[in-house]
């Protein structure tokens, strides 16, 4: 099985899996790049997985469905172009011989879901849309800090070697913020240097891993003393609890340059 990020727009990746014959894509915001990729490799599109309703994740779905007959699977509680098979918590999806568990991860949008498979060529794989990014997390458009923190906490509980396939190449700007929060985090500084080298050659920084994110992503580290201190220095009076620290970090990141 091959895992490939197909670039789209300025900083999206349409994650694709194929077994040499059949393919699966996640969040095709546009159809052209996917159609070209299928054509070049002689692949048949079997399944489209969608994490949430934003146009940069769904814009290519109708055209791809019409052109290929692929089935479309998406979140139970999001406004979506029909027809699609809607899935929610504790359900699973079988595709390309893999079984994906559906996780409800509200926060970025109200009905955002993620797809997790425990073993794809020996390691787990997570498609998490705009919930968890490398070094950051999605903006809270429809959810509360408590919801998003709960979603991220459940993702962080997945095995350390889980490959994290998020939709956007936001890593360097996220790490700039992460370094402002935790200037003394040596793992973070080393990861930032590796990502700068990757981007200088136009290579993706993704997939990341859950184990790495727990070491470098401030939004998964709201219990770390250094992170709490930075949040309180930025917004004096921020209480010590994880939800308050998370809320301060998220608001700080929204205005961080
Ligand atoms: Zn989004
Ligand atoms: Zn997006």
């Amino acid at each position: 099985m091959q895992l490939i990020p197909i670039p789209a727009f300025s900083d999206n990746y349409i994650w694709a899996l194929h077994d040499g014959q059949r393919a699966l894509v996640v969040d095709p915001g546009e159809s052209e790049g996917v159609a070209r990729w299928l054509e070049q490799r002689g692949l048949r599109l079997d399944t489209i997985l969608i994490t949430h309703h934003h146009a940069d994740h769904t814009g290519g779905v109708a055209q791809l469905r019409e052109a290929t007959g692929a089935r479309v699977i998406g979140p139970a509680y999001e406004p979506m172009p029909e027809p699609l098979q809607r899935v929610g918590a504790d359900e699973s999806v079988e595709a390309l011989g893999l079984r994906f568990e559906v996780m409800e991860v509200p926060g970025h949008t109200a009905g955002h879901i993620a797809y997790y498979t425990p073993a794809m060529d020996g390691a787990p794989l997570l498609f998490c849309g705009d919930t968890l990014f490398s070094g950051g997390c999605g903006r809270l458009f429809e959810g509360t800090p408590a919801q998003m923190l709960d979603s991220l906490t459940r993702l962080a509980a997945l095995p350390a070697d889980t490959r994290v396939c998020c939709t956007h190449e936001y890593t360097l700007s996220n790490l700039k913020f992460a370094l402002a929060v935790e200037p003394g985090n040596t793992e973070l500084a080393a990861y930032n240097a590796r990502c700068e080298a990757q981007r200088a050659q136009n290579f993706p920084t993704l997939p990341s891993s859950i184990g790495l994110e727990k070491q470098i992503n401030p939004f998964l580290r709201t219990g770390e003393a250094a992170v709490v201190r930075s949040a309180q220095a930025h917004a004096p009076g921020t209480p010590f609890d994880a939800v308050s620290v998370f809320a301060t970090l998220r608001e700080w990141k929204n205005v961080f340059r």
Side-chain angles (χ1 to χ4, degrees), residues 7-72:
F9 309 118
S10 59
D11 53 31
N12 284 54
Y13 294 124
I14 300 169
W15 288 97
L17 279 176
H18 75 86
D19 63 6
Q21 293 175 329
R22 296 167 304 165
L24 167 158
V25 295
V26 185
D27 287 351
E30 51 118 25
S31 60
E32 293 80 9
V34 175
R36 206 164 40 240
W37 176 78
L38 292 167
E39 167 101 39
Q40 282 167 355
R41 283 160 187 76
L43 298 168
R44 182 172 65 74
L45 186 61
D46 180 84
T47 301
I48 299 171
L49 301 179
I50 307 172
T51 63
H52 68 294
H53 70 82
H54 286 158
D56 66 307
H57 297 248
T58 58
V61 171
Q63 266 181 304
L64 286 172
R65 185 207 289 114
E66 269 167 46
T68 66
R71 69 181 170 147
V72 182

Side-chain angles (χ1 to χ4, degrees), residues 194-209:
R194 291 203 298 278
C195 289
E196 280 181 344
Q198 291 289 99
R199 294 308 295 150
Q201 299 181 74
N202 217 18
F203 293 149
T205 60
L206 304 170
S208 175
S209 73

Side-chain angles (χ1 to χ4, degrees), residues 52-57 108-109 112 129-130 133 141 168:
H52 68 294
H53 70 82
H54 286 158
D56 66 307
H57 297 248
H108 177 67
T109 63
H112 199 303
D130 289 356
F133 293 127
F141 287 118
H168 293 276

